[in-house]
Amino acid sequence: MKLLITGGAGFIGSHVVRLFVNKYPQYQIVNLDKLTYAGNLENLRDVEKAPNYQFVKGDIVDADFVNALFAQHQFDGVLHLAAESHVDRSILDPLAFVQTNVIGTVNLLNAAKQSWQGNTEGKRFYHISTDEVYGSLDEGGYFLETTPYDPQSPYSASKAASDHFVRAYHNTYKLPMVISNCSNNYGSHQFPEKLIPLFIHNIQHNKPLPVYGKGENVRDWLWVEDHARAIDVIYHQGKDGDTYNIGGFNEWKNIDLIHLLCQQMDAKLGRAEGTSAQLISYVTDRAGHDLRYAIDAQKLMNELGWKPSVTFEEGLAKTIDWYLENTQWLDSVTSGAYQQYYQTQYQNR
Ligand code: NAD
Ligand code: DAU
């Protein structure tokens, strides 16, 4: 079995690579990643020498390169995670999201279609997507697999387009595929542009915590290692052509999550309770900010038997511990270009 994992140097991808390399020594794993600002080979130091693992640097937007890679390796399966993934960056530069998320995905679909022509036995294209394609909920209800798409940001529009292309290739060319749509992930190795690692980093350095709007938006949080386990289960047991929502029924209003984070950070840093919360600073809201995401993951739980392994409080504590023990990782990714991004994103907000 030869598997291509795209975006394996990123946050979720590195957890998926680690799980597959360790759990399936009989598989050959090729990790294709462009190493954008979000990709970091440090994330994979512990598996980089494994005999069943190989890293290839490359861009999924380059069709010739992608076709040549498929011709060389004859992959049996693809787990496609490479993407531009940050909503705020999609507001600053939507075209980068169209390039990687839409064109990059179609390039991979074309290469898989070409490579598997005439023999799709045992082949599978697994597209990893997001709950944001369903749009925004008000106070009630959940996203189901049947919820109509209603993306609201350039990021979610590009992910929705890529999901549509994957289904179109299944319908038109019978390409074997499966899609999952997951809620917000948190855990180790997440680039500190996303809420939880950004706020951990700022708390450590006594910097303001920029809460968008009134902090009333709701997100549904899942520990990244539980997402990786779900991906393993869906890749191996999911029904061809099907879609699975992934989430842990774990909704948090941003401001409540931030208070919990501040509390745990105070305890871990030996600060008096309430110290970190003083850093909270309400800033101009994100444009078009989706109010609430909430995943109904019962299909995945009932049909494939997956369930989350940790409570949010446990997962958050493990996550904080990792960042506090890996300050070098955090310091290296927050130097250079990060400073420039931080200025553009947060100055004058
Ligand atoms: P990330 O931004 O941390 O990592 C993305 C990776 O893709 C990086 O390693 C980057 O170098 C690589 N990449 C980007 N453009 C590329 C290109 N053109 N060619 C090759 N590689 C490229 O993202 P993440 O948070 O780990 O998300 C991974 C996937 O999961 C994405 O598809 C995202 O839409 C989806 N997802 C993320 C979340 C979340 O909460 N982070 C939730 C649900 C779904
Ligand atoms: O729902 C899944 C999605 O979750 C993934 O598809 C995306 O790749 C991932 O980035 C994430 O999107 P969000 O926009 O929900 O995540 P982010 O961490 O950027 O923001 C979480 C919430 O926190 C959101 O309501 C915006 C708010 N926020 C975020 C930042 C960065 C702030 O209040 N201040 C901030 O500085």
Side-chain angles (χ1 to χ4, degrees):
M1 175 87 97
K2 198 155 199 183
L3 292 187
L4 173 66
I5 301 183
T6 71
F11 165 48
I12 301 170
S14 61
H15 286 278
V16 173
V17 167
R18 179 172 301 104
L19 177 67
F20 274 68
V21 166
N22 289 330
K23 186 169 173 187
Y24 302 107
Q26 72 278 26
Y27 292 3
Q28 283 300 316
I29 312 282
V30 175
N31 169 17
L32 163 61
D33 199 295
K34 185 182 174 184
L35 300 182
T36 67
Y37 76 92
N40 186 348
L41 289 178
E42 285 299 320
N43 296 351
L44 289 165
R45 281 288 169 245
D46 53 330
V47 293
E48 69 184 3
K49 294 205 170 72
N52 62 336
Y53 171 73
Q54 183 185 343
F55 173 71
V56 176
K57 184 169 190 279
D59 188 343
I60 59 169
V61 178
D62 180 346
D64 291 342
F65 162 77
V66 171
N67 291 333
L69 191 75
F70 272 75
Q72 181 193 346
H73 289 280
Q74 303 290 316
F75 298 115
D76 299 294
V78 178
L79 286 89
H80 175 35
L81 295 103
E84 288 292 340
S85 69
H86 190 35
V87 174
D88 290 328
R89 288 187 194 251
S90 81
I91 296 168
L92 295 171
D93 181 12
L95 209 49
F97 286 67
V98 176
Q99 294 283 358
T100 288
N101 299 0
V102 187
I103 297 178
T105 300
V106 176
N107 283 341
L108 288 165
L109 289 168
N110 280 336
K113 170 175 161 279
Q114 170 74 23
S115 174
W116 299 342
Q117 224 163 25
N119 181 17
T120 53
E121 186 64 35
K123 307 290 194 289
R124 168 155 278 186
F125 190 103
Y126 181 178
H127 180 60
I128 282 79
S129 193
T130 171
D131 60 356
E132 298 199 14
V133 298
Y134 299 122
S136 180
L137 293 165
D138 49 28
E139 260 106 81
Y142 290 94
F143 295 135
L144 293 164
E145 286 81 358
T146 49
T147 301
Y149 276 28
D150 187 21
Q152 300 291 317
S153 73
Y155 163 67
S156 53
S158 69
K159 290 296 289 186
S162 64
D163 293 13
H164 288 318
F165 270 104
V166 177
R167 289 199 183 94
Y169 272 59
H170 180 69
N171 181 60
T172 311
Y173 309 113
K174 310 295 171 231
L175 189 87
M177 67 79 177
V178 67
I179 297 180
S180 59
N181 297 84
C182 189
S183 61
N184 285 61
N185 284 216
Y186 69 97
S188 70
H189 303 91
Q190 186 171 30
F191 193 77
E193 61 187 354
K194 310 281 168 63
L195 181 76
I196 290 179
L198 175 74
F199 278 32
I200 291 174
H201 183 243
N202 284 12
I203 291 171
Q204 259 189 306
H205 293 86
N206 278 307
K207 283 175 64 175
L209 305 177
V211 180
Y212 295 161
K214 296 188 176 133
E216 284 174 351
N217 304 69
V218 174
R219 295 293 181 265
D220 185 355
W221 294 92
L222 184 70
W223 194 42
V224 64
E225 294 189 29
D226 283 331
H227 187 188
R229 285 175 44 247
I231 288 173
D232 177 20
V233 169
I234 293 168
Y235 183 77
H236 289 98
Q237 295 167 42
K239 258 200 345 244
D240 182 40
D242 220 340
T243 296
Y244 297 87
N245 279 352
I246 310 175
F249 293 98
N250 180 43
E251 291 179 57
W252 284 80
K253 205 178 258 196
N254 287 345
I255 194 64
D256 295 338
L257 183 162
I258 291 159
H259 276 292
L260 174 65
L261 181 66
C262 287
Q263 233 174 45
Q264 289 202 1
M265 287 290 286
D266 281 343
K268 288 182 192 289
L269 293 171
R271 294 178 180 172
E273 203 178 323
T275 309
S276 299
Q278 286 168 20
L279 297 168
I280 290 173
S281 156
Y282 291 93
V283 301
T284 309
D285 208 353
R286 173 184 280 175
H289 197 172
D290 288 341
L291 178 66
R292 172 172 169 256
Y293 305 143
I295 279 279
D296 183 335
Q298 285 192 69
K299 176 176 169 180
L300 173 62
M301 292 173 169
N302 295 340
E303 289 185 13
L304 304 185
W306 170 91
K307 60 178 189 337
S309 68
V310 293
T311 65
F312 186 57
E313 285 76 0
E314 287 164 353
L316 191 63
K318 281 174 193 276
T319 302
I320 295 172
D321 287 342
W322 186 85
Y323 287 98
L324 294 181
E325 284 157 16
N326 290 276
T327 45
Q328 218 182 342
W329 183 94
L330 208 46
D331 290 344
S332 73
V333 300
T334 51
S335 61
Y338 179 83
Q339 298 299 331
Q340 172 93 45
Y341 164 76
Y342 201 87
Q343 285 276 98
T344 314
Q345 181 59 24
Y346 293 102
Q347 207 181 25
N348 307 323
R349 243 199 133 91

